[in-house]
């Protein structure tokens, strides 16, 4: 085993980035798009996303309708039937009034019967339209949620490290729900309104083109008002969605770190930060609602202006015998019918704008590049020889974490990485797991660059046990089999026995079928860590990574785990990140890191004899020496 770059340099220390809770201890370089945690974090006023192309977003939303052509055709047919009934009914009403005026009562009954038939058909069509809209919205939104979730689970670790988890959750829930809302009702309302306007205008021109032209005044006024208000609605809808994601991120972080908040009596500051974000959201929400709510009343005013014009000029035309009384009646109905869809469109416009803003945020995640898992290597008959060659790496440009890092780890050897927090230990693991790619240099396994190995194959041949355990809301059995779904019960029994978790599991109320609550909160930290170790054992890895895996176990459990690990690590390459140096005294090789460089290598006895950096760390822990 060899390493170069053995001398410490005066490069600034850089932290190791967390891997979505998979590795690291929060000492990663933070970016300004991540919500701050605790004192000194970035402000809560998240920058609003830049406006996207609304037409492009709509075009992408339309693509989700392509697989629902049958339901769309049925919905369109129902809308057309309803519109035709609503368009022809006022004309029949006009005819009925004229017949009453002319005393043609014998011909009145068929007209009234036809009117009743149209109204019944319209009611049934509306019912069918409502039901099919609801079904269509759930189908489309379900597919969109699946696409978004599939994208999230295939995103690079870097993306999840540098974006608020609460904001991502908000896009999955609130933004997608807003899209669902426009599909269920406003979409059919919009189509119905547009067709009603077209049909109504056609009938008005047919009956009396002069009064129809007067009605166009309301159209001009409507377009002017809509254009003036729409820009502000779009702006504040985006602000509201961004602030809502920010608020969710704040709550999610507070709940996850509530013990820390309580331990440091930080509740007043947390409340103050929450109230600041909430007040901003409330202010923006009120403005958005006021702007959106003003559309309806303004459209009513414009509609009333149209009524006044029709009444005045219609009466004048009737007095001079140009039109009948029935035509005036029909035109008043048509004018109201013409204004109603405009009002409805105006009312749902705010919902549509909010949904488009949400769709932009959803598509922003979907447009992110998937994690690069390319590679043709299969790692068949892998031995587990690991080589780092002149590796340089930085999480952020200009802030380098590893400097010319070179290290050879032989097959079956147990190698420990030690050093102060931020020295780059976890970064080495992140690169080995291909959570991140190196800036320069290369990492080889059995002489093959890991970039040439299929990422799924690479990780199937590795197992990692973290200091911060990750368990899921499922049974103990399924949590254990998370690393190997094809494992037999015998293999699972063996793994739990070797990890000393079998006795603990058998004492649980349901044994292996015990349901774990969120993150395994119904188990102690030590029990959760034992399960995560058993899960790693069950993977039968060629390479085992232990990130202070015994830190949460008591002394007796730790000793049992270490004894089991000695057996497990036979014929396996093991990389151990350790802060408690007592856990790695029997390592084949110890690598001491400082500020992204290797400063010492050797076994425990050799490093103690050198009385260098490792000696100082060891004596600090066990002899109480001052640093």
């Amino acid at each position: 085993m060899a390493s170069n770059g053995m001398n410490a340099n005066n490069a600034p220390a850089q932290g190791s980035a967390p891997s979505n809770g998979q590795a690291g201890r929060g000492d990663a370089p933070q970016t300004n798009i991540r919500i701050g945690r605790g004192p000194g974090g970035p402000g809560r006023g998240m920058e609003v996303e830049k406006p996207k192309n609304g037409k492009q977003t709509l075009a992408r939303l339309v693509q989700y309708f392509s697989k629902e052509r049958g339901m769309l055709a049925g919905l369109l047919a129902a809308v057309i039937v309803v519109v035709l009934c609503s368009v022809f009914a006022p004309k029949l009403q006009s005819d009925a009034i004229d017949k009453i005026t002319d005393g043609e009562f014998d011909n009145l009954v068929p007209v009234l019967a036809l009117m009743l038939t149209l109204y019944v058909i319209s009611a049934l069509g509306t019912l069918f339209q409502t039901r099919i809209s609801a079904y269509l919205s759930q189908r489309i939104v379900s597919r969109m949620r699946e696409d978004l979730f599939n994208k999230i689970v295939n995103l690079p670790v870097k993306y999840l490290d540098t974006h608020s988890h609460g904001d991502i959750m908000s896009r999955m829930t609130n933004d997608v729900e807003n899209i669902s809302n426009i599909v269920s009702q406003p979409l059919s309302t919009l189509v119905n309104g547009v067709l009603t306007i077209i049909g109504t205008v056609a009938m008005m021109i047919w009956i009396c083109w002069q009064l129809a032209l007067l009605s166009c005044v309301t159209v001009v006024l409507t377009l002017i008002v809509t254009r003036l208000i729409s820009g502000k609605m779009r702006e504040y809808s985006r602000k509201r969605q961004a602030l809502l994601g920010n608020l969710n991120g704040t709550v999610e972080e507070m709940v996850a770190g509530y013990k820390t908040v309580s331990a440091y009596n930080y509740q007043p500051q947390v409340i103050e930060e929450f109230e600041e974000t909430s007040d901003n959201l409330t202010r923006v929400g009120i403005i958005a609602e006021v702007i959106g709510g003003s559309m309806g009343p303004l459209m009513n005013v414009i509609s009333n202006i149209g009524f006044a014009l029709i009444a005045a000029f219609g009466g004048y035309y009737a007095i001079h015998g140009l039109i009948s009384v029935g035509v005036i009646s029909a035109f008043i109905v048509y004018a109201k019918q013409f204004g109603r869809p405009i009002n409805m469109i105006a009312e749902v416009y705010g919902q549509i704008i909010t949904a488009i803003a949400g769709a932009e945020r959803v598509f922003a995640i979907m447009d992110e590049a998937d994690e690069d898992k390319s590679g043709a290597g299969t790692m068949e008959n892998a031995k587990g020889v690991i080589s780092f060659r002149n590796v340089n790496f930085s999480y952020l440009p200009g802030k380098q974490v590893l400097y010319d890092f070179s290290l050879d780890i032989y097959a079956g050897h147990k190698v420990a990485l030690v050093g102060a927090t931020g020295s780059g230990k976890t970064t080495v693991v992140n690169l080995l797991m291909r959570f991140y790619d190196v800036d320069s240099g290369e990492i080889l396994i059995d002489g093959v660059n890991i970039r040439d190995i299929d990422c799924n194959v690479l990780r199937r041949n590795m197992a990692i046990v973290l200091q911060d355990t990750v368990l899921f809301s499922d049974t103990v059995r399924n949590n254990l089999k998370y690393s190997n779904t094809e494992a037999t019960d015998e293999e699972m029994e063996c793994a739990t026995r070797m990890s000393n978790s079998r006795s603990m599991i058998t004492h649980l109320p349901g044994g292996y079928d015990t349901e774990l609550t969120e993150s395994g909160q119904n188990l102690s930290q030590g029990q959760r860590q034992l399960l995560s170790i058993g899960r790693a054992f069950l993977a039968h890895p060629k390479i085992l990574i232990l990130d202070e895996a015994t830190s949460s176990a008591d002394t007796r459990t730790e000793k049992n785990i270490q004894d089991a690990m000695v057996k497990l690590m036979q014929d396996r390459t093991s990389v151990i990140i350790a802060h408690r140096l007592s856990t790695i005294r029997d390592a084949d090789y110890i690598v001491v890191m400082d500020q992204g460089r290797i400063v010492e290598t050797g076994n425990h006895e050799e490093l103690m004899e050198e009385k260098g950096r490792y000696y100082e760390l060891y004596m600090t822990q066990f002899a109480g020496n001052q640093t």
Side-chain angles (χ1 to χ4, degrees):
M1 183 175 304
S3 62
N4 54 18
M6 301 290 291
N7 296 324
N9 293 289
N10 295 323
Q14 300 296 335
S16 303
S19 300
N20 189 23
Q22 300 290 316
R25 295 171 177 80
D27 52 348
Q30 297 293 321
T31 62
N32 58 4
I33 55 179
R34 188 172 178 85
I35 294 177
R37 296 182 178 183
R44 299 291 180 183
M46 178 191 288
E47 181 181 358
V48 178
E49 295 178 86
K50 294 181 180 180
K52 302 291 193 304
N53 189 326
K55 293 182 180 179
Q56 182 180 357
T57 302
L58 283 174
R60 294 183 66 174
L61 280 173
V62 169
Q63 293 177 4
Y64 278 89
F65 290 83
S66 60
K67 295 183 179 180
E68 308 295 342
R69 293 187 181 92
M71 282 195 294
L72 282 173
L75 178 62
L76 182 60
V79 171
I80 291 174
V81 168
V82 172
V83 169
L84 289 176
C85 291
S86 63
V87 166
F88 283 105
K91 180 63 173 64
L92 293 175
Q93 176 182 315
S94 172
D95 293 343
I97 292 175
D98 287 341
K99 291 184 183 302
I100 293 173
T101 303
D102 297 338
E104 300 178 8
F105 296 102
D106 293 339
N107 298 326
L108 180 61
V109 174
V111 176
L112 294 177
L114 184 56
M115 284 181 60
L116 178 61
T117 301
L118 290 180
Y119 286 132
V120 171
I121 294 175
S122 177
L124 294 176
T126 302
L127 177 61
F128 180 76
Q129 171 186 317
T130 302
R131 297 193 63 177
I132 198 170
S133 295
Y135 188 73
L136 179 65
S137 70
Q138 294 307 311
R139 288 283 297 272
I140 291 175
V141 170
S142 174
R143 192 160 63 250
M144 180 173 288
R145 281 199 182 102
E146 291 175 1
D147 290 346
L148 180 58
F149 187 79
N150 290 338
K151 168 59 70 172
I152 291 174
V153 299
N154 285 291
L155 286 172
V157 171
K158 179 180 179 180
Y159 183 90
L160 297 177
D161 279 346
T162 54
H163 288 75
S164 164
H165 295 180
D167 183 60
I168 295 174
M169 292 169 59
S170 178
R171 300 186 193 212
M172 171 64 78
T173 54
N174 296 322
D175 292 333
V176 173
E177 187 62 28
N178 286 331
I179 297 171
S180 171
N181 290 337
I182 70 161
V183 177
S184 60
Q185 285 299 329
L187 178 63
S188 58
T189 299
L190 180 64
V191 176
N192 188 307
V194 171
L195 293 180
T196 299
I197 291 173
I198 295 173
T200 301
V201 169
M203 291 296 294
M204 292 169 73
I205 293 175
W206 179 37
I207 295 174
C208 180
W209 63 270
Q210 295 93 338
L211 289 180
L213 288 178
L214 286 173
S215 299
C216 289
V217 174
T218 60
V219 177
V220 175
L221 291 176
T222 299
L223 292 176
I224 293 174
V225 172
T226 301
R227 184 159 183 91
L228 290 175
I229 296 179
S230 61
K232 287 295 182 181
M233 289 181 63
R234 187 180 298 109
E235 174 188 351
Y236 281 95
S237 292
R238 288 196 183 95
K239 286 183 179 181
R240 179 165 58 179
Q241 291 304 109
L243 287 170
L244 184 59
N246 197 357
L247 190 71
N248 288 339
T250 302
V251 175
E252 187 264 341
E253 289 185 335
M254 191 283 296
V255 172
Y258 183 70
K259 290 183 179 178
T260 302
V261 172
S262 298
Y264 288 99
N265 296 320
Y266 202 70
Q267 292 93 333
Q269 291 87 339
V270 169
I271 294 173
E272 181 180 353
E273 292 173 358
F274 177 84
E275 288 179 347
E276 179 182 351
T277 305
S278 180
D279 290 344
N280 289 334
L281 178 60
T282 301
R283 177 180 56 81
V284 172
I286 290 174
I287 295 175
E289 291 294 336
V290 169
I291 294 175
S294 65
M295 291 290 286
L298 287 173
M299 293 304 103
N300 284 330
V301 171
I302 295 173
S303 178
N304 290 333
I305 293 174
F307 291 158
L309 290 174
I310 291 172
F313 285 91
Y316 175 82
Y317 291 153
I319 292 174
H320 290 79
L322 298 176
I323 59 175
S324 66
V325 176
V327 170
I328 298 176
S329 172
F331 246 92
I332 292 176
V333 175
Y334 278 129
K336 184 176 182 180
Q337 188 167 283
F338 180 73
R340 186 185 300 115
I342 295 178
N343 292 340
M344 289 191 300
I345 292 173
E347 289 175 1
V348 303
Y349 188 73
Q351 300 178 42
I352 294 173
I353 292 299
T354 299
I356 292 175
E360 289 175 345
R361 288 160 48 82
V362 170
F363 290 141
I365 293 183
M366 290 187 180
D367 289 338
E368 291 289 333
D370 287 346
E371 182 181 17
D372 181 11
K373 297 184 178 182
S374 60
T378 61
M379 291 188 69
E380 291 184 6
N381 302 317
K383 297 179 180 178
V385 177
I386 304 172
S387 298
F388 291 82
R389 294 182 180 174
N390 307 112
V391 171
N392 291 281
F393 176 74
S394 57
Y395 291 104
L396 299 174
K399 296 183 178 181
Q400 195 163 343
V401 178
L402 292 183
Y403 298 83
D404 195 29
F405 184 88
S406 294
L407 178 66
D408 291 326
I409 303 175
Y410 299 138
H413 277 209
K414 181 167 60 174
V415 175
L417 303 178
V418 301
T421 299
S423 60
K425 305 183 299 297
T426 299
T427 298
V428 173
V429 172
N430 287 343
L431 297 178
L432 181 60
M433 295 285 293
R434 278 191 68 181
F435 290 152
Y436 292 83
D437 286 328
V438 300
D439 295 339
S440 63
E442 57 183 358
I443 304 174
L444 309 176
I445 294 181
D446 296 333
V448 179
N449 193 316
I450 61 173
R451 287 184 173 179
D452 298 326
I453 302 174
D454 182 276
C455 200
N456 294 323
V457 173
L458 175 70
R459 292 171 184 169
R460 276 200 301 268
N461 283 274
M462 295 184 181
I464 183 169
V465 179
L466 305 170
Q467 180 180 17
D468 299 322
T469 58
V470 178
L471 297 176
F472 301 93
S473 300
D474 205 335
T475 63
V476 171
R477 183 188 309 277
N478 290 337
N479 269 278
L480 287 170
K481 289 188 175 183
Y482 200 83
S483 62
N484 184 1
T485 56
E486 298 179 356
T488 65
D489 289 343
E490 291 75 14
E491 290 175 316
M492 185 175 61
E493 288 278 350
C494 180
T496 56
R497 187 168 57 252
M498 294 183 69
S499 63
N500 286 329
S501 60
R502 185 174 182 274
S503 176
M504 177 268 293
I505 294 173
T506 56
H507 284 84
L508 294 175
Y512 286 96
D513 295 318
T514 301
E515 290 281 345
L516 301 183
T517 57
E518 183 180 0
S519 300
Q521 293 298 319
N522 51 340
L523 300 179
S524 69
Q525 179 63 32
Q527 289 175 324
R528 295 198 295 269
Q529 205 156 42
L530 285 172
L531 284 183
S532 67
I533 294 170
R535 179 172 58 194
F537 293 171
L538 196 59
H540 304 299
K542 298 292 190 301
I543 298 172
L544 183 65
I545 299 172
L546 305 173
D547 187 354
E548 196 63 74
T550 63
S551 62
S552 296
D554 56 56
T555 304
R556 179 178 178 181
T557 303
E558 178 181 347
K559 180 63 168 58
N560 292 334
I561 292 175
Q562 288 176 348
D563 292 342
M565 285 182 178
V566 171
K567 299 177 182 179
L568 177 67
M569 292 183 205
Q570 291 178 358
D571 302 323
R572 287 188 174 90
T573 305
S574 303
V575 179
I576 306 171
I577 297 176
H579 291 284
R580 294 197 294 181
L581 302 185
S582 62
T583 62
I584 48 92
R585 291 185 60 174
D586 59 342
D588 297 308
Y589 215 71
I590 299 173
V591 178
V592 183
M593 300 184 63
D594 186 32
Q595 299 182 0
R597 291 179 169 85
I598 297 176
V599 294
E600 289 180 349
T601 57
N603 59 35
H604 174 74
E605 289 75 16
E606 292 171 347
L607 293 176
M608 289 298 291
E609 289 178 1
E610 290 182 9
K611 294 190 176 181
R613 182 61 178 158
Y614 179 82
Y615 177 84
E616 293 176 1
L617 291 172
Y618 189 87
M619 295 306 293
T620 298
Q621 290 190 20
F622 296 101
N625 288 6
Q626 297 294 324
T627 57

